[in-house]
Amino acid sequence: MAQRNEIAGFLDEYLNIHEVEDKYLVNGLLFEGKEDVNKIAFAVDSSFDTICATQKEGADMLVVHHGFLSKVSIFPIVRHLKKRVAELVKTDINLYGAHIPLDVHPEVGNNICLCRLFDVNVKGKFSFGFWGEFKKEIDMDAFVKDINSRLNTECNVFGFGKKKIKTVAFVSGGAQYDILPAMLSDIDCLVTGENSHTTYLIAKDAGMNMISAGHYATETLGVCALSKIVKDKFKVDTVFIDKPTGL
């Protein structure tokens, strides 16, 4: 058994919660539940279904990539937020969120995990992610098939660039507009989660490759990697709550 504040304090420090800038979501301990923690659930989102699944798993704490407290707009606790908060109050489950800090982390971040998964030699930071090189040029179509298989997803591909690629940038989630700095950096392919009408036209006119592998699919690796760190540190049970959206 571990203590809520001890776990939250460790996560704050390990993930640099108070140092990493995040313009979008509030990070850290978002809802204070029970003090004693025997089991921790990890998930991408803090949806009502995820909170209910956490309770069914018998977990005392839920650690997510997407918390539900926005920095972009102040939203009243009604409808979807009321539903989520009410379930947390009823179950006394702790909620902890790590958004951008879990994207950029050099050990357990979504993007460094993607680099490792696809055997990319990291050369440096890129936006909220990283860029690097394959050991040798690989076929673009084969890379897409590999992503589909390893991430259990169906990629949407803007394949207007090189058919053989050497450099790649990974920026998980909704980073489709990073196609512009990727283009200016002469990166052969950008891998992110989402796309748009506008970025399709940019990719086409610029002769650029962009793979949209799914917002959810590109952001499961970080919480899973983090769960192993927490499990070893606090000797508690952990579980991954898988609630894919298909997007």
Side-chain angles (χ1 to χ4, degrees), residues 34 36-41 50-62 91 93 237-239 241:
K34 60 193 73 173
D36 295 334
V37 176
N38 292 292
K39 187 174 184 179
I40 305 174
T50 303
I51 296 168
C52 290
T54 300
Q55 192 274 331
K56 288 180 181 178
E57 287 286 349
D60 309 300
M61 188 173 197
L62 172 61
T91 57
I93 290 171
D237 292 332
T238 60
V239 61
I241 306 292

Short mmCIF file of all heavy atoms in Angstrom, two decimals, residues 34 36-41 50-62 91 93 237-239 241:
data_model
loop_
_atom_site.label_atom_id
_atom_site.label_comp_id
_atom_site.label_asym_id
_atom_site.label_seq_id
_atom_site.Cartn_x
_atom_site.Cartn_y
_atom_site.Cartn_z
N LYS A 34 -9.36 8.86 -1.94
CA LYS A 34 -8.90 8.16 -0.73
C LYS A 34 -7.39 8.30 -0.56
O LYS A 34 -6.64 8.44 -1.53
CB LYS A 34 -9.31 6.69 -0.79
CG LYS A 34 -8.75 5.93 -1.97
CD LYS A 34 -9.44 4.58 -2.16
CE LYS A 34 -10.84 4.75 -2.70
NZ LYS A 34 -11.48 3.45 -3.06
N ASP A 36 -5.22 6.07 1.05
CA ASP A 36 -4.48 4.83 0.87
C ASP A 36 -4.71 4.27 -0.54
O ASP A 36 -5.86 4.17 -0.99
CB ASP A 36 -4.92 3.79 1.90
CG ASP A 36 -4.57 4.21 3.32
OD1 ASP A 36 -3.62 4.99 3.49
OD2 ASP A 36 -5.27 3.76 4.25
N VAL A 37 -3.63 3.91 -1.20
CA VAL A 37 -3.71 3.42 -2.58
C VAL A 37 -3.06 2.04 -2.68
O VAL A 37 -1.87 1.88 -2.41
CB VAL A 37 -3.01 4.40 -3.55
CG1 VAL A 37 -3.01 3.83 -4.97
CG2 VAL A 37 -3.68 5.76 -3.52
N ASN A 38 -3.87 1.05 -3.06
CA ASN A 38 -3.37 -0.31 -3.24
C ASN A 38 -3.22 -0.69 -4.71
O ASN A 38 -2.42 -1.55 -5.05
CB ASN A 38 -4.33 -1.31 -2.57
CG ASN A 38 -4.32 -1.19 -1.06
OD1 ASN A 38 -3.34 -1.51 -0.41
ND2 ASN A 38 -5.43 -0.71 -0.50
N LYS A 39 -4.01 -0.05 -5.56
CA LYS A 39 -3.99 -0.38 -6.98
C LYS A 39 -4.22 0.90 -7.79
O LYS A 39 -5.05 1.73 -7.43
CB LYS A 39 -5.08 -1.41 -7.30
CG LYS A 39 -5.05 -1.95 -8.72
CD LYS A 39 -6.09 -3.06 -8.90
CE LYS A 39 -6.02 -3.68 -10.29
NZ LYS A 39 -7.01 -4.79 -10.45
N ILE A 40 -3.47 1.03 -8.89
CA ILE A 40 -3.55 2.22 -9.72
C ILE A 40 -3.90 1.83 -11.15
O ILE A 40 -3.27 0.93 -11.73
CB ILE A 40 -2.23 3.01 -9.72
CG1 ILE A 40 -1.80 3.34 -8.29
CG2 ILE A 40 -2.37 4.30 -10.54
CD1 ILE A 40 -0.43 4.00 -8.21
N ALA A 41 -4.89 2.49 -11.72
CA ALA A 41 -5.26 2.29 -13.12
C ALA A 41 -4.60 3.38 -13.96
O ALA A 41 -4.47 4.52 -13.52
CB ALA A 41 -6.77 2.35 -13.28
N THR A 50 -14.07 5.33 -18.43
CA THR A 50 -12.78 4.98 -17.86
C THR A 50 -12.83 5.01 -16.34
O THR A 50 -12.26 4.14 -15.66
CB THR A 50 -11.68 5.93 -18.37
OG1 THR A 50 -11.64 5.89 -19.79
CG2 THR A 50 -10.32 5.55 -17.82
N ILE A 51 -13.49 6.01 -15.78
CA ILE A 51 -13.62 6.11 -14.33
C ILE A 51 -14.41 4.92 -13.78
O ILE A 51 -14.03 4.31 -12.77
CB ILE A 51 -14.30 7.44 -13.93
CG1 ILE A 51 -13.41 8.63 -14.34
CG2 ILE A 51 -14.57 7.49 -12.43
CD1 ILE A 51 -14.09 9.98 -14.27
N CYS A 52 -15.48 4.55 -14.47
CA CYS A 52 -16.27 3.38 -14.05
C CYS A 52 -15.45 2.10 -14.13
O CYS A 52 -15.53 1.24 -13.24
CB CYS A 52 -17.53 3.26 -14.91
SG CYS A 52 -18.76 4.54 -14.63
N ALA A 53 -14.66 1.96 -15.19
CA ALA A 53 -13.81 0.78 -15.34
C ALA A 53 -12.75 0.72 -14.25
O ALA A 53 -12.39 -0.37 -13.78
CB ALA A 53 -13.14 0.79 -16.71
N THR A 54 -12.26 1.88 -13.84
CA THR A 54 -11.29 1.95 -12.74
C THR A 54 -11.90 1.40 -11.46
O THR A 54 -11.27 0.63 -10.72
CB THR A 54 -10.83 3.40 -12.53
OG1 THR A 54 -10.21 3.87 -13.73
CG2 THR A 54 -9.84 3.51 -11.38
N GLN A 55 -13.14 1.79 -11.20
CA GLN A 55 -13.84 1.30 -10.01
C GLN A 55 -14.05 -0.21 -10.08
O GLN A 55 -13.85 -0.93 -9.10
CB GLN A 55 -15.17 2.04 -9.88
CG GLN A 55 -15.87 1.84 -8.54
CD GLN A 55 -16.73 0.60 -8.50
OE1 GLN A 55 -17.24 0.17 -9.54
NE2 GLN A 55 -16.87 -0.02 -7.32
N LYS A 56 -14.41 -0.71 -11.25
CA LYS A 56 -14.64 -2.15 -11.42
C LYS A 56 -13.36 -2.95 -11.23
O LYS A 56 -13.39 -4.11 -10.79
CB LYS A 56 -15.23 -2.42 -12.80
CG LYS A 56 -16.67 -1.96 -12.95
CD LYS A 56 -17.21 -2.26 -14.35
CE LYS A 56 -18.64 -1.77 -14.49
NZ LYS A 56 -19.18 -2.01 -15.87
N GLU A 57 -12.23 -2.33 -11.57
CA GLU A 57 -10.93 -2.99 -11.40
C GLU A 57 -10.46 -2.95 -9.96
O GLU A 57 -9.44 -3.56 -9.61
CB GLU A 57 -9.88 -2.34 -12.30
CG GLU A 57 -10.03 -2.64 -13.78
CD GLU A 57 -9.59 -4.05 -14.13
OE1 GLU A 57 -8.97 -4.72 -13.27
OE2 GLU A 57 -9.87 -4.49 -15.26
N GLY A 58 -11.18 -2.22 -9.11
CA GLY A 58 -10.79 -2.11 -7.71
C GLY A 58 -9.60 -1.21 -7.48
O GLY A 58 -8.89 -1.33 -6.48
N ALA A 59 -9.37 -0.27 -8.41
CA ALA A 59 -8.24 0.66 -8.28
C ALA A 59 -8.64 1.88 -7.45
O ALA A 59 -9.80 2.31 -7.47
CB ALA A 59 -7.75 1.09 -9.65
N ASP A 60 -7.68 2.42 -6.75
CA ASP A 60 -7.91 3.58 -5.88
C ASP A 60 -7.46 4.88 -6.52
O ASP A 60 -7.73 5.96 -5.98
CB ASP A 60 -7.14 3.39 -4.56
CG ASP A 60 -7.41 2.05 -3.93
OD1 ASP A 60 -8.58 1.78 -3.61
OD2 ASP A 60 -6.46 1.26 -3.76
N MET A 61 -6.77 4.77 -7.64
CA MET A 61 -6.23 5.96 -8.31
C MET A 61 -6.23 5.73 -9.81
O MET A 61 -5.99 4.61 -10.27
CB MET A 61 -4.80 6.24 -7.82
CG MET A 61 -4.19 7.54 -8.28
SD MET A 61 -2.59 7.82 -7.43
CE MET A 61 -2.35 9.57 -7.73
N LEU A 62 -6.51 6.79 -10.55
CA LEU A 62 -6.50 6.73 -12.01
C LEU A 62 -5.52 7.78 -12.53
O LEU A 62 -5.64 8.96 -12.22
CB LEU A 62 -7.90 7.01 -12.56
CG LEU A 62 -8.05 7.18 -14.08
CD1 LEU A 62 -7.62 5.91 -14.81
CD2 LEU A 62 -9.50 7.54 -14.44
N THR A 91 -17.04 7.25 -5.86
CA THR A 91 -16.09 6.13 -5.72
C THR A 91 -14.86 6.50 -4.90
O THR A 91 -14.10 5.62 -4.50
CB THR A 91 -15.63 5.65 -7.11
OG1 THR A 91 -15.04 6.75 -7.82
CG2 THR A 91 -16.81 5.11 -7.90
N ILE A 93 -12.18 7.88 -5.93
CA ILE A 93 -10.98 7.55 -6.71
C ILE A 93 -10.17 8.82 -6.96
O ILE A 93 -10.71 9.86 -7.31
CB ILE A 93 -11.37 6.89 -8.05
CG1 ILE A 93 -11.93 5.49 -7.80
CG2 ILE A 93 -10.19 6.84 -9.01
CD1 ILE A 93 -12.54 4.85 -9.04
N ASP A 237 -0.28 -2.78 -7.27
CA ASP A 237 -0.81 -3.37 -8.49
C ASP A 237 -1.20 -2.26 -9.46
O ASP A 237 -1.66 -1.18 -9.05
CB ASP A 237 -2.04 -4.22 -8.18
CG ASP A 237 -1.70 -5.47 -7.39
OD1 ASP A 237 -0.56 -5.96 -7.52
OD2 ASP A 237 -2.57 -5.95 -6.63
N THR A 238 -1.03 -2.52 -10.74
CA THR A 238 -1.42 -1.56 -11.77
C THR A 238 -2.21 -2.27 -12.86
O THR A 238 -2.08 -3.48 -13.05
CB THR A 238 -0.21 -0.86 -12.40
OG1 THR A 238 0.64 -1.83 -13.02
CG2 THR A 238 0.58 -0.06 -11.37
N VAL A 239 -3.02 -1.50 -13.58
CA VAL A 239 -3.80 -2.05 -14.68
C VAL A 239 -3.98 -0.96 -15.73
O VAL A 239 -4.11 0.22 -15.40
CB VAL A 239 -5.18 -2.56 -14.19
CG1 VAL A 239 -6.02 -1.44 -13.59
CG2 VAL A 239 -5.94 -3.25 -15.33
N ILE A 241 -6.36 0.58 -18.49
CA ILE A 241 -7.75 0.64 -18.93
C ILE A 241 -7.76 1.05 -20.40
O ILE A 241 -7.46 2.19 -20.74
CB ILE A 241 -8.57 1.65 -18.10
CG1 ILE A 241 -8.46 1.37 -16.60
CG2 ILE A 241 -10.02 1.66 -18.56
CD1 ILE A 241 -9.11 0.10 -16.15
#
